[in-house]
Amino acid sequence: MNALLRLFRAVLDHQTPTARSEGMLRANLTADQLSQLDAHGYFEVLGGESGHRFRVCRSPSINVEEFDEAGASLCRWCLLPTGMLPEGDVLLAQKIAIELFESEARAIANVYPARLCRASRFQRFDVPSGA
Amino acid sequence: MHLQIIMDRSGDTRFAFDPADADTTALAMRRFRELTGKGFRAVALGKEGGRGTLLREFDATAEQTLFIPQLQGG
C-alpha cells in the first residue's frame, strides 16, 4: 500500500509546475553545473561577453552573483522573467541570459553592490587585523 | 519531431512540429513570430547543458527552441 501511495505521489509531483520546471532546468545544465546545484544549491555560469563567473543560487530574489577574474564578488543581480514562473524556469532563464545576452540582461537587472549582500565563499574580505 | 517549449506558470507548454511537413512548420513559424513579437526571447537549446544559440529568426532546423518571457529587474 505504501508503495502505491509513493507511486501516486511521484506521479502527482511530476506534474506540478515546480517539478516540470526543475526537470527542464536539470536537462539543460552541464554535468558540472548539476553537481554544483545538488551539492551547494547553486551553479556557475560564464558570462558570454564579460567572461566573468556568475553564481546562480536557489533563492527567490537577488540570486545572481557576479565575480571578477580574481574571484572577488562584484555585485548581485535581481533579474526575473515575467509571469510568475516556477523556480526551475527562473534559474534556467537566468543561465541563458548570462550566456547569450549578457549586456541586455545587465541593462535590465537591478544590480546591488556586493557589500550590501551576505558574504559568499568566493568573496574577498578586507578584514582588519586583530578582528 | 522538433519542439517549441514555452516557459509559463505550468512549467512549460510544448508544441511539436515536423520540419519536413510544411503545414506544421508554418504553424511553428507563426508561433515563433507571435511570441518574439510579444518580447519572448527564442533560444535553440544546446546539447547536454551546453551554450545554446539566440534566435532572431525562425530556424526550422533547431531541434528544441525555448521561449523565455521578457525579463525584468526585481
Side-chain angles (χ1 to χ4, degrees):
Chain A
M1 189 63 183
N2 281 343
L4 194 61
L5 282 174
R6 279 200 301 274
L7 178 63
F8 183 63
R9 171 168 274 176
V11 169
L12 283 180
D13 285 348
H14 186 67
Q15 292 172 338
T16 65
T18 300
R20 286 174 61 84
S21 72
E22 184 70 16
M24 187 158 70
L25 170 67
R26 297 179 73 84
N28 286 286
L29 295 179
T30 65
D32 286 347
Q33 289 169 336
L34 204 47
S35 297
Q36 289 176 331
L37 186 64
D38 289 339
H40 307 295
Y42 64 74
F43 58 88
E44 293 182 345
V45 184
L46 288 180
E49 294 163 33
S50 67
H52 285 174
R53 191 161 47 86
F54 290 79
R55 181 176 292 172
V56 180
C57 305
R58 280 197 194 280
S59 178
S61 62
I62 322 180
N63 68 314
V64 176
E65 188 168 13
E66 180 178 5
F67 299 88
D68 68 14
E69 296 81 355
S73 179
L74 291 172
C75 56
R76 282 182 179 246
W77 294 18
C78 194
L79 179 73
L80 301 164
T82 55
M84 301 293 289
L85 301 184
E87 184 185 69
D89 282 2
V90 173
L91 300 183
L92 180 57
Q94 291 169 333
K95 165 187 151 82
I96 290 172
I98 292 164
E99 287 179 337
L100 300 184
F101 46 99
E102 182 185 349
S103 293
E104 288 175 66
R106 187 185 298 278
I108 294 167
N110 282 329
V111 178
Y112 298 89
R115 69 177 184 280
L116 295 182
C117 302
R118 68 179 173 78
S120 75
R121 287 171 52 200
F122 283 84
Q123 191 165 356
R124 281 183 165 179
F125 294 97
D126 294 316
V127 181
S129 59
Chain B
M1 295 295 273
H2 291 187
L3 273 181
Q4 291 182 315
I5 306 167
I6 305 165
M7 285 182 169
D8 58 28
R9 286 186 189 196
S10 75
D12 63 79
T13 300
R14 297 173 180 232
F15 297 93
F17 72 94
D18 178 358
D21 177 77
D23 290 341
T24 59
T25 302
L27 277 176
M29 183 185 292
R30 194 162 69 203
R31 189 177 297 115
F32 181 98
R33 289 179 177 164
E34 283 175 4
L35 290 168
T36 53
K38 289 178 184 171
F40 282 73
R41 283 182 172 81
V43 173
L45 292 173
K47 302 279 187 196
E48 298 177 351
R51 188 167 295 197
T53 307
L54 192 61
L55 299 176
R56 305 286 184 189
E57 298 291 335
F58 175 69
D59 180 0
T61 68
E63 289 182 18
Q64 293 195 343
T65 302
L66 177 66
F67 292 90
I68 302 171
Q70 207 156 28
L71 299 176
Q72 62 184 0

